[in-house]
Amino acid sequence: MATWNTGWEIEFPAQTVDELRLALVVRDLINGSSFDVESEETGAEFAVDYTAGDELEGTTYRLLLAAEVDGPDDPGLVQAFTEQALEEAIEEAEGLLEQATQVAELPLDRVRFEAVSEDAERWDLVIPDWLAPDGAEVPFGFRAFDAASGAPVPDDATLDGHGRVVAVPFDGRLLLVGIPAPVEHDEPGDEG
């Protein structure tokens, strides 16, 4: 089997805090996911590993999705599977957000974002890539800190109390929202 790469830019509306929050949770769910797929229609088999980044342009959130594929060079098949995986991620994100609790809200200008060492990274903290300082590894190599006290925002105890904490910068504020951890489950249905 050959290994090849492909990618997409998927736009989400970001006119409201809820829209942006949903897009960030979808990015968190799809980033780092891997699937072994067998097409019911053609019998073709492939493995796909996704990485995701993001950017914000006005009121449009752009999910930057990259796929490394082991299998036949069939972009149409991989795209169809990816669309299905994204639909399922959106549904899962909506379900997780139904259980969301607001952790904190503070002015964005009271927060600074700093690179952290690998042992200080938190996989359960979801921060948009565009807030990363220069040189920081995304998505986990940086954190938010209170500009006055230097304390992490949120602190580790708050992170430990939730499956994920999503940092949503919106309208000059930073909202921190706790959601349950995603449930480990079977892969999306085979593409057919």
Side-chain angles (χ1 to χ4, degrees):
M1 281 203 283
T3 298
W4 53 283
N5 296 296
T6 189
W8 307 268
E9 292 184 2
I10 299 111
E11 293 185 350
F12 287 80
Q15 295 179 334
T16 68
V17 69
D18 290 340
E19 289 173 342
L20 183 55
R21 187 174 59 169
L22 174 67
L24 289 168
V25 175
V26 169
R27 184 206 74 186
D28 180 58
L29 291 172
I30 200 80
N31 185 54
S33 60
S34 298
F35 302 97
D36 293 315
V37 183
E38 180 178 349
S39 171
E40 292 175 359
E41 186 176 294
T42 66
E45 296 182 14
F46 63 91
V48 60
D49 297 315
Y50 294 108
T51 55
D54 59 18
E55 58 189 27
L56 186 68
E57 186 176 319
T59 59
T60 300
Y61 173 91
R62 194 167 290 115
L63 175 66
L64 309 172
L65 187 59
E68 181 178 287
V69 182
D70 282 327
D73 189 353
D74 188 342
L77 182 63
V78 173
Q79 179 162 336
F81 176 78
T82 300
E83 289 171 1
Q84 179 182 349
L86 279 170
E87 287 174 14
E88 292 183 18
I90 290 168
E91 288 177 20
E92 183 176 359
E94 290 170 341
L96 291 170
L97 287 169
E98 287 176 1
Q99 304 170 61
T101 57
Q102 186 161 320
V103 172
E105 180 178 344
L106 58 159
L108 195 52
D109 62 5
R110 280 193 32 212
V111 179
R112 69 177 190 270
F113 297 90
E114 297 179 9
V116 295
S117 63
E118 190 173 341
D119 62 337
E121 292 179 355
R122 292 296 300 244
W123 58 267
D124 48 358
L125 178 59
V126 180
I127 304 176
D129 291 354
W130 67 84
L131 295 176
D134 290 340
E137 291 288 324
V138 291
F140 306 117
F142 68 104
R143 287 189 65 178
F145 294 88
D146 183 283
S149 70
V153 176
D155 60 22
D156 287 342
T158 300
L159 286 168
D160 293 341
H162 299 277
R164 296 278 195 280
V165 173
V166 183
V168 186
F170 193 82
D171 199 24
R173 315 264 321 147
L174 185 68
L175 289 80
L176 299 172
V177 180
I179 60 172
V183 176
E184 293 294 324
H185 48 71
D186 293 334
E187 298 168 359
D190 293 340
E191 180 56 40

